[in-house]
Amino acid sequence: MTRIVIVEDEIDIASVVQDYLRHSGYETAHFSDGQSALDSIVASPPDLTLLDIMLPRLDGIEVLRRAREHTAHPIIMLTARIEEVDRLLGLELGADDYVCKPFSPRELVARVRAVLRRTAPGSAPGQAPQGGAPGLVLDDVHWRASLEGTPLNLTRREFGLLQVLSRHPGRIFSRARLLELAYDDTVDVTERAIDSHVKNLRRKLGAVSPLHDWIRSVYGVGFAWEAPPQA
Ligand code: CA
């Protein structure tokens, strides 16, 4: 059975989440402070952890940081504010996803499923042929990309975005982070420009492969590469 650890000091939230997960067939364990959660996670890593940030004894960021020294199992952060996500992304602590409060339990369960699917053995990002997309080929030297043998005709900016996003399937990048990673000169690039580059990139990917939405918009945060389900 898939075991999920919930670390949340607000008992009402924790018990609703626990109910939903159990009804969805998961085994759950609940901790209401950071230190006991960390002890348990390190002693016996679960299949997934839902980790609140504001916690007594040890906050969620510290739990994440220390847990990552011992285990690579998927961790979804529960954050009270969207601004926290930006801070977390900047810290690059290796969370697998972020869910902002208030969330619907149904949405949370869907995210749990998606993260478990993505991180299941055999679908690890590093094992995907190229960038978490079968059929996607990037030529870093000439800034050329093709999907399923069809050239994508990307601009240099679009290529840069594709490179960063597709090499980290599922990871959410803020616009500020994309600006830093995907653009070698940022003189004239605004965060709004990124949106239009992403839009063009989506259109070009969609022209070749219309059944899959490759780039997920994360409201108020940024974008993530969405690897297609494994055949
Ligand atoms: Ca809390």
Side-chain angles (χ1 to χ4, degrees), residues 6-217:
I6 302 157
V7 192
E8 170 62 81
D9 58 326
E10 285 161 80
I11 302 305
D12 292 350
I13 297 181
S15 81
V16 171
V17 168
Q18 217 164 359
D19 283 353
Y20 266 82
L21 288 171
R22 281 183 183 157
H23 278 118
S24 309
Y26 299 109
E27 186 187 319
T28 62
H30 170 235
F31 298 91
S32 43
D33 75 88
Q35 188 62 57
S36 34
L38 180 66
D39 293 345
S40 161
I41 288 169
V42 169
S44 158
D47 295 294
L48 184 141
T49 295
L50 293 169
L51 181 57
D52 184 31
I53 292 185
M54 298 296 285
L55 291 167
R57 288 181 77 205
L58 198 61
D59 75 33
I61 290 177
E62 208 42 45
V63 173
L64 175 63
R65 194 197 306 274
R66 296 192 199 173
R68 277 289 174 255
E69 290 169 10
H70 304 273
T71 160
H73 83 280
I75 297 179
I76 300 179
M77 304 300 289
L78 306 177
T79 76
R81 296 194 317 274
I82 219 126
E83 302 90 81
E84 281 182 345
V85 177
D86 258 334
R87 209 175 106 229
L88 282 168
L89 290 168
L91 292 173
E92 290 281 337
L93 292 171
D96 293 84
D97 206 348
Y98 306 85
V99 174
C100 286
K101 292 176 181 177
F103 50 78
S104 81
R106 199 185 298 265
E107 181 207 333
L108 185 67
V109 171
R111 297 288 276 280
V112 163
R113 278 213 186 92
V115 168
L116 284 171
R117 207 184 311 122
R118 201 172 75 213
T119 54
S123 65
Q127 293 173 23
Q130 173 95 18
L136 180 68
V137 177
L138 301 185
D139 171 354
D140 294 343
V141 178
H142 303 100
W143 301 320
R144 280 198 293 251
S146 65
L147 181 60
E148 291 158 20
T150 307
L152 291 172
N153 297 320
L154 304 178
T155 65
R156 194 171 143 194
R157 305 255 196 239
E158 290 158 9
F159 183 84
L161 284 171
L162 177 66
Q163 223 177 7
V164 172
L165 290 169
S166 71
R167 294 219 162 123
H168 303 92
R171 188 185 294 178
I172 303 163
F173 290 93
S174 65
R175 289 174 180 79
R177 192 84 183 120
L178 283 174
L179 206 58
E180 222 177 288
L181 295 173
Y183 295 78
D184 41 15
D185 62 293
T186 54
V187 187
D188 294 321
V189 187
T190 58
E191 296 195 1
R192 192 182 296 261
I194 295 181
D195 288 21
S196 92
H197 298 150
V198 166
K199 191 173 152 200
N200 292 336
L201 181 56
R202 254 200 194 118
R203 183 171 44 74
K204 292 177 182 180
L205 290 162
V208 181
S209 179
L211 295 179
H212 182 68
D213 188 12
W214 297 92
I215 301 170
R216 175 162 67 99
S217 299

